[in-house]
Amino acid sequence: MQFNHVFTMEFLNCVLRRKACTTVCFWRNQAIQKPSVRRISTTSPRNTVMPAWVIDKYGKNEVLRFTRDMMLPIIHYPNEVIIKVHAASVNPIDVNMRSGYGATALNMKRDPLHIKTRGDEFPLTLGRDVSGVVMECGLDVTYFKPGDEVWAAVPPWKQGTLSEFVVVSGNEVSHKPRSLTHTQAASLPYVALTAWSAINKVGGLNDKNCAGKRVLILGASGGVGTFAIQVMKAWDAHVTAVCSQDASELVKKLGADDVIDYKSGNVEEQLKSLKPFDFILDNVGGATETWALNLLKKWSGATYVTLVTPFLLNMDRLGIADGMLQTGVTVGSKTLKHFWQGVHYRWAFFMASGAYLDDIAQLVDKGKVSAACCIARGFLVMSVTCPASLVSGDSAEVGSGIIHAASHGQI
């Protein structure tokens, strides 16, 4: 018995030392051979690139190119979400950014410590508006989940929306209005948030204090102007709109009480014949500043807000330090000058905000605001994965300012 026991132990040790890692199953009277290399089960490889419209340098239209090799965006912070783009639109800011407008300030925002080398923002994807579906959420995102239909306006220092996917902060996203298609929704966020910033955040107007106020909108037929008219009327204000004759019917349909054609005569004299205003939104800038503030009610809290400012141009022309100094001197001196004349002078800028888009979505779903006005005024709403539609026009409705890709399943 002792001999058999010793023999058995030696046999097992010999077997277990074999390089092939043989497992002996005496209860089955057989040895099961297992490989020495462990096999790993893997899922199918994921794509790491996507189609997008990008620029590799600043310039004219020829710098814009279509690529299928743009790197997929990833979540860097726990409050971010990745959106699959169903529709995106082109705004004037995109055309200006293509030419290098605001590059100094935007690059400072992208790289405040100046760690990167010049030109590291390229390839740069343009596009600010997006309507699409949430694909992935960061760990801190609780308001959204994959599959939610959302819309957003991406800040200009981030990679844009003319791509298959885009990553944005959860604070910049809102649930898409249920009454709009993705194509319609993509025409609104940037202009809506720009107008909302001027009216509500800077101008201090809201649905509780706006009733009966006299509002003047200069440049009323653009995207910001048409949206502002609808919001002001939803809040029961009296709206005077200044635009060209060909847009007068549109602004009247949107609710403008008085329409002034700036081509029909001296605009200043026409407006002086009306009662003074409580609030002026200036989308034109330039020489209008010299006379527009005289149309406000003095010493009543009346406010003039302009969206045409030299902030980015100053930094492009003078550099960061001198540009910011010049900007501060300009806005400070004008604010004080008009304050002593009994009116408020303010600058306003686009502000990305999911909370503001929530409020805007409510107005849209209640029928107070229509996206059709933005599309009618020439907004380009496009698919980013169908370059042929932009070049050949086979599926484009050029007259409406919309490029559809429904046949490709993209919008």
Side-chain angles (χ1 to χ4, degrees):
M1 291 293 294
Q2 184 176 0
F3 173 80
N4 291 338
H5 177 71
V6 172
F7 176 80
T8 302
M9 293 298 296
E10 289 179 355
F11 174 75
L12 285 175
N13 288 335
C14 178
V15 170
L16 294 174
R17 284 196 300 267
R18 292 181 61 185
K19 292 182 180 180
C21 300
T22 302
T23 301
V24 180
C25 298
F26 291 100
W27 57 91
R28 291 183 179 177
N29 295 320
Q30 62 180 344
I32 303 174
Q33 187 79 16
K34 288 189 176 181
S36 59
V37 178
R38 183 180 178 184
R39 294 185 179 182
I40 301 175
S41 176
T42 60
T43 58
S44 58
R46 294 179 61 184
N47 291 332
T48 58
V49 294
M50 63 177 179
W53 286 94
V54 301
I55 60 172
D56 300 303
K57 62 181 179 179
Y58 298 117
K60 297 183 179 180
N61 282 340
E62 60 268 15
V63 303
L64 184 67
R65 70 178 176 91
F66 179 80
T67 178
R68 295 188 181 277
D69 298 321
M70 189 68 175
M71 292 298 297
L72 275 174
I74 61 174
I75 290 176
H76 290 94
Y77 302 100
N79 68 329
E80 291 181 332
V81 300
I82 295 178
I83 300 173
K84 180 174 176 59
V85 179
H86 282 226
S89 63
V90 178
N91 290 278
I93 183 66
D94 298 305
V95 179
N96 293 333
M97 285 178 61
R98 178 215 62 196
S99 301
Y101 169 74
T104 302
L106 297 178
N107 283 334
M108 182 188 68
K109 182 66 176 179
R110 295 180 185 117
D111 182 28
L113 299 180
H114 299 284
I115 297 174
K116 300 178 181 178
T117 59
R118 184 179 179 87
D120 271 2
E121 69 268 29
F122 302 115
L124 180 63
T125 306
L126 300 176
R128 310 269 59 90
D129 293 310
V130 60
S131 182
V133 175
V134 174
M135 299 299 293
E136 189 174 349
C137 298
L139 295 177
D140 288 350
V141 177
T142 58
Y143 194 56
F144 304 100
K145 64 182 184 301
D148 285 352
E149 292 189 333
V150 296
W151 64 343
V154 181
W157 56 86
K158 295 185 178 181
Q159 287 286 16
T161 61
L162 302 185
S163 56
E164 188 176 9
F165 298 94
V166 63
V167 61
V168 295
S169 168
N171 298 326
E172 298 162 356
V173 185
S174 171
H175 290 100
K176 179 181 73 67
R178 292 184 295 272
S179 58
L180 298 184
T181 66
H182 284 296
T183 304
Q184 294 170 328
S187 69
L188 269 179
Y190 187 83
V191 294
L193 287 172
T194 303
W196 197 272
S197 169
I199 295 168
N200 179 262
K201 185 69 175 179
V202 178
L205 300 180
N206 54 56
D207 58 342
K208 297 180 176 60
N209 65 7
C210 203
K213 289 189 180 295
R214 291 183 53 79
V215 174
L216 171 63
I217 301 177
L218 301 169
S221 60
V224 174
T226 52
F227 179 84
I229 291 172
Q230 296 178 88
V231 172
M232 294 288 92
K233 292 308 297 180
W235 294 346
D236 297 323
H238 181 282
V239 176
T240 299
V242 177
C243 62
S244 61
Q245 178 62 37
D246 64 343
S248 59
E249 287 301 316
L250 172 64
V251 298
K252 286 178 182 177
K253 288 180 180 179
L254 295 176
D257 300 284
D258 298 316
V259 179
I260 305 296
D261 177 12
Y262 68 84
K263 294 181 179 180
S264 64
N266 189 305
V267 177
E268 181 181 359
E269 293 302 321
Q270 293 183 68
L271 291 172
K272 281 183 177 180
S273 66
L274 304 177
K275 294 181 180 179
F277 296 96
D278 300 287
F279 179 82
I280 297 177
L281 174 61
D282 188 356
N283 299 299
V284 178
T288 57
E289 274 195 19
T290 61
W291 52 263
L293 285 99
N294 297 325
L295 304 173
L296 291 170
K297 296 178 181 177
K298 307 295 184 183
W299 306 107
S300 64
T303 304
Y304 166 92
V305 178
T306 179
L307 289 164
V308 184
T309 73
F311 174 61
L312 295 180
L313 286 175
N314 281 345
M315 296 186 70
D316 287 338
R317 183 170 55 90
L318 302 174
I320 295 173
D322 290 343
M324 293 183 70
L325 178 61
Q326 180 63 51
T327 300
V329 170
T330 300
V331 68
S333 60
K334 289 185 177 182
T335 300
L336 286 174
K337 170 187 173 183
H338 294 294
F339 176 77
W340 293 116
Q341 295 175 359
V343 295
H344 297 291
Y345 175 91
R346 299 285 185 270
W347 288 0
F349 304 90
F350 159 79
M351 298 176 66
S353 171
Y356 291 164
L357 283 176
D358 288 341
D359 294 334
I360 294 166
Q362 290 183 12
L363 290 173
V364 172
D365 284 333
K366 289 178 181 178
K368 301 292 186 179
V369 172
S370 169
C373 62
C374 292
I375 295 175
R377 294 303 298 165
F379 275 79
L380 181 65
V381 184
M382 59 185 292
S383 163
V384 298
T385 57
C386 300
S389 68
L390 291 180
V391 178
S392 67
D394 292 339
S395 60
E397 296 181 8
V398 180
S400 65
I402 304 173
I403 293 182
H404 294 278
S407 61
H408 300 267
Q410 302 300 331
I411 294 182

